[in-house]
Amino acid sequence: DGGITQSPKYLFRKEGQNVTLSCEQNLNHDAMYWYRQDPGQGLRLIYYSQIVNDFQKGDIAEGYSVSREKKESFPLTVTSAQKNPTAFYLCASSTQRVVWNEQFFGPGTRLTVL
Amino acid sequence: DQQVKQNSPSLSVQEGRISILNCDYTNSMFDYFLWYKKYPAEGPTFLISISSIKDKNEDGRFTVFLNKSAKHLSLHIVPSQPGDSAVYFCAASGYGGSQGNLIFGKGTKLSVKP
């Protein structure tokens, strides 16, 4: 089955620790995205990558880092510099061949920093 | 400043009736508009889209209307079913700069009562 997987579904970390969220897709999509959702908020873009070995900051990149060494994988690291890391994190991917940029989302990871 | 606005945080509708979800945008460079549906603790799923060259797109029970002069779009669900209860996000793309990225509204929580 083609799709996007995110692991784990729930993640707990102590304050001050870095944590990496996994995102893998087997849709052969070129573009991948990380969003953050907070209660009562829309999805805010953290980072995106349109091609392997290249990525760009989104609207709220501070305190986060990413890598795109493989087409299938786009891990997100939440660093200790992120002031309010507790949130629901969503990864998405899309093909550049569709102009309306329908993005396919993973199931999300809920990160709680204690 | 929000470029995509969903001014109603919630909407309650009786089963079998019409649900109308509204969305306003401010950037006239948006080319495409998408609606996503999201259940709690899951990733959003694509529902329907519309290009700025059209004013209506229909897919089964779901119809999206676009009024470019008013910078307004709406999603109609007829007839509404209890399984439609979810948060609906409006999104827009094609505003240049980070072309292809989606800008999401804050969502409207739809409750369809049996």
Side-chain angles (χ1 to χ4, degrees), chain B residues 7-98:
Chain B
N7 291 319
S8 298
S10 63
L11 174 68
S12 184
V13 169
Q14 206 66 32
E15 181 179 4
R17 300 289 185 108
I18 183 171
S19 296
I20 301 177
L21 296 98
N22 293 305
C23 179
D24 297 293
Y25 62 96
T26 57
N27 193 327
S28 56
M29 290 181 68
F30 287 139
D31 289 323
Y32 289 94
F33 304 89
L34 301 86
W35 284 94
Y36 280 83
K37 176 179 177 179
K38 184 181 180 300
Y39 294 114
E42 293 184 10
T45 53
F46 171 74
L47 202 55
I48 193 169
S49 66
I50 188 167
S51 161
S52 60
I53 62 172
K54 292 187 172 183
D55 55 17
K56 177 182 174 181
N57 189 24
E58 196 170 349
D59 184 2
R61 296 186 297 114
F62 302 92
T63 303
V64 56
F65 295 92
L66 176 63
N67 182 333
K68 280 187 66 178
S69 60
K71 294 192 177 69
H72 176 83
L73 63 155
S74 60
L75 174 68
H76 293 211
I77 306 174
V78 183
S80 302
Q81 299 173 354
D84 296 329
S85 298
V87 176
Y88 289 79
F89 289 100
C90 170
S93 78
Y95 67 111
S98 304

Side-chain angles (χ1 to χ4, degrees), chain A residues 9 37 42 48 99 101-103 106, chain B residues 32 36 38 41 43 98 100 105:
Chain A
K9 193 163 179 65
Q37 187 191 13
Y48 65 99
V99 296
N101 194 29
E102 176 190 341
Q103 293 183 12
Chain B
Y32 289 94
Y36 280 83
K38 184 181 180 300
S98 304

Side-chain angles (χ1 to χ4, degrees), chain A:
Chain A
D1 268 28
I4 301 178
T5 56
Q6 290 184 245
S7 60
K9 193 163 179 65
Y10 299 96
L11 191 55
F12 296 88
R13 277 296 181 268
K14 290 184 179 179
E15 194 172 345
Q17 288 182 334
N18 291 358
V19 60
T20 297
L21 281 58
S22 163
C23 178
E24 305 277 331
Q25 55 98 1
N26 60 4
L27 299 166
N28 199 31
H29 285 171
D30 290 307
M32 296 186 74
Y33 311 81
W34 273 105
Y35 293 90
R36 168 183 173 141
Q37 187 191 13
D38 295 283
Q41 298 288 324
L43 279 62
R44 293 185 290 168
L45 183 65
I46 305 172
Y47 267 98
Y48 65 99
S49 167
Q50 294 183 328
I51 197 168
V52 174
N53 291 323
D54 186 52
F55 48 82
Q56 306 293 331
K57 291 181 179 180
D59 300 319
I60 55 165
E62 187 174 346
Y64 299 97
S65 66
V66 293
S67 63
R68 187 86 188 276
E69 295 176 5
K70 297 187 299 181
K71 189 175 185 179
E72 303 79 21
S73 179
F74 191 40
L76 173 75
T77 296
V78 184
T79 75
S80 55
Q82 168 48 233
K83 291 184 172 26
N84 189 15
T86 294
F88 188 54
Y89 291 87
L90 286 158
C91 179
S93 70
S94 68
T95 173
Q96 308 287 45
R97 282 172 276 163
V98 174
V99 296
W100 58 85
N101 194 29
E102 176 190 341
Q103 293 183 12
F104 293 81
F105 285 83
T109 292
R110 180 163 296 284
L111 172 65
T112 303
V113 175
L114 306 169

